[in-house]
């Protein structure tokens, strides 16, 4: 169904219908679809049509945390202008590459609980008017290496709680986008010194940084605290790695010295 975006100068406005070929994708894949534009009762001048991905990211502003949609990976579908005579429909096919750092929303055939959202946003630049947008949700499935890591973390006794996206950067990683995803797990009886665990994937073209951040349980004589470890692995290694042994080594080191 066409969605009316705005009423431009004159009678009527521009309407848009964005159709995605598939409802899901993986990081590093491509979203394909068609944008259909239809003018109202007067001719409309479109100076540009773009598609991009958006995700809901949490920002810290002072002592408050605010959620805002962040766009990334924008590509031009049409540049140089399009004139729409009254009532005319124009179809614009598109291909939108999905960055490998894109937050995931699906793991183990289920939607991740929490605030993580990813969508394809269509941006129509109408001359003399505010940019108009239309947003279509899309599922982002975990890559094989991400699935392996999450599955191993669960096998070590941690329980998956939720996932969200944070604005900011993690030093010493491949990160290029201005945000990252945190997948939170409750503590495990096998690692009693760790109150909880957060897993972040920072993917690149040749490999991935797996960031493990743990929170120490407060003791009678000591306070709580956080520790972080980064495990970097190439995609060619991931399938042959002994993930239970590797993650146990990291998790054990995160708990060392905590009484």
């Amino acid at each position: 169904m066409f969605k009316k975006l705005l009423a431009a100068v004159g009678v009527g406005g521009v309407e848009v219908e964005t159709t995605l070929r598939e409802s899901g994708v993986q990081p590093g894949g491509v979203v394909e679809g068609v944008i259909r534009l239809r003018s109202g009762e007067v001719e409309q001048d479109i100076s540009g049509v773009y598609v991009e991905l958006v995700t809901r990211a949490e920002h810290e502003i002072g002592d408050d945390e605010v959620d805002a949609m962040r766009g990334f990976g924008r590509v031009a579908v049409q540049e140089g202008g399009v004139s729409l005579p009254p009532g005319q429909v124009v179809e614009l096919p598109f291909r939108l590459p999905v960055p490998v750092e894109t937050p995931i929303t699906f793991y183990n055939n289920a939607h991740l609980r929490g605030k993580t959202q990813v969508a394809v946003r269509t941006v129509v630049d109408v001359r003399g008017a505010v940019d108009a947008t239309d947003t279509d949700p899309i599922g982002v499935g975990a890559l094989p290496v991400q699935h392996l890591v999450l599955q191993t973390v669960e096998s070590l006794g941690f329980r998956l709680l939720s996932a969200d996206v944070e604005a900011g950067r993690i030093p010493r990683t491949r990160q290029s986008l201005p945000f990252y995803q945190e997948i939170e797990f409750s503590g495990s009886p096998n690692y009693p010194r760790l109150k909880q665990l957060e897993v972040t994937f920072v993917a690149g073209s040749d490999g991935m940084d797996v960031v493990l951040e743990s929170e120490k349980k407060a003791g009678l004589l000591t306070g709580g605290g956080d520790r972080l470890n980064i495990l970097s692995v190439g995609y060619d290694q991931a399938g042959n790695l002994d993930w239970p042994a590797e993650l146990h080594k990291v998790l054990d080191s995160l708990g060392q010295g905590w009484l």
Side-chain angles (χ1 to χ4, degrees), residues 156 158 190-194 197 212 214 227 229 243-258:
L156 293 174
F158 295 90
N190 299 318
Y191 303 89
R193 293 172 179 170
L194 305 183
L197 180 69
L212 302 171
S214 60
R227 285 190 177 182
N229 193 293
W243 282 104
E246 290 294 328
L247 292 182
H248 171 72
K249 188 189 309 180
V250 172
L251 294 169
D252 192 54
S253 71
L254 287 173
Q256 290 298 317
W258 282 354

Side-chain angles (χ1 to χ4, degrees), residues 50-54 71-75 96 119-123 133:
Y50 310 88
V51 287
E52 63 184 357
L53 293 160
V54 291
F72 61 104
R74 176 182 284 207
V75 298
L96 174 62
V120 175
R121 180 162 64 188
T122 304
V123 180
T133 62

Side-chain angles (χ1 to χ4, degrees), residues 7-71:
V9 177
V11 181
V14 177
E15 296 176 322
V16 65
E17 178 188 62
T18 300
T19 304
L20 305 181
R21 180 173 293 180
E22 302 287 346
S23 60
V25 70
Q26 284 187 311
V30 176
V31 176
E32 297 186 17
V34 176
I35 300 167
R36 296 179 180 86
L37 300 177
R38 183 169 66 186
S39 65
E41 298 176 34
V42 296
E43 183 172 327
Q44 305 289 325
D45 290 327
I46 310 298
S47 57
V49 180
Y50 310 88
V51 287
E52 63 184 357
L53 293 160
V54 291
T55 189
R56 185 177 299 280
E58 191 173 88
H59 301 250
E60 290 188 5
I61 302 178
D63 295 329
D64 298 323
E65 292 182 342
V66 178
D67 289 342
M69 299 303 287
R70 295 290 298 267

Side-chain angles (χ1 to χ4, degrees), residues 107 148-159 185 188 190-191 243-244 247:
Y107 155 67
L148 276 172
V149 172
L150 295 177
Q151 197 171 46
T152 302
V153 170
E154 289 187 302
S155 75
L156 293 174
F158 295 90
R159 184 168 59 88
F185 293 81
S188 165
N190 299 318
Y191 303 89
W243 282 104
L247 292 182

Side-chain angles (χ1 to χ4, degrees), residues 53-108:
L53 293 160
V54 291
T55 189
R56 185 177 299 280
E58 191 173 88
H59 301 250
E60 290 188 5
I61 302 178
D63 295 329
D64 298 323
E65 292 182 342
V66 178
D67 289 342
M69 299 303 287
R70 295 290 298 267
F72 61 104
R74 176 182 284 207
V75 298
V77 179
Q78 177 71 39
E79 290 184 305
V82 178
S83 292
L84 291 178
Q88 180 174 324
V89 176
V90 173
E91 291 193 354
L92 303 171
F94 68 86
R95 287 172 52 86
L96 174 62
V98 178
V100 290
E101 287 182 62
T102 299
I104 62 174
T105 62
F106 275 84
Y107 155 67
N108 201 22

Side-chain angles (χ1 to χ4, degrees), residues 91-191:
E91 291 193 354
L92 303 171
F94 68 86
R95 287 172 52 86
L96 174 62
V98 178
V100 290
E101 287 182 62
T102 299
I104 62 174
T105 62
F106 275 84
Y107 155 67
N108 201 22
N109 296 318
H111 198 287
L112 285 174
R113 286 178 291 178
K115 297 180 180 179
T116 302
Q117 299 176 18
V118 178
V120 175
R121 180 162 64 188
T122 304
V123 180
V124 182
D125 184 7
V126 182
R127 288 192 181 94
V130 177
D131 286 358
T133 62
D134 179 36
T135 304
D136 296 271
I138 190 166
V140 183
L143 291 169
V145 61
Q146 294 171 328
H147 195 279
L148 276 172
V149 172
L150 295 177
Q151 197 171 46
T152 302
V153 170
E154 289 187 302
S155 75
L156 293 174
F158 295 90
R159 184 168 59 88
L160 200 158
L161 297 177
S162 64
D164 61 9
V165 177
E166 303 276 345
R169 295 189 177 274
I170 303 176
R172 298 180 288 113
T173 67
R174 296 172 165 87
Q175 186 180 356
S176 62
L177 295 177
F179 51 78
Y180 55 90
Q181 184 179 32
E182 289 184 338
I183 302 174
E184 183 179 340
F185 293 81
S186 66
S188 165
N190 299 318
Y191 303 89

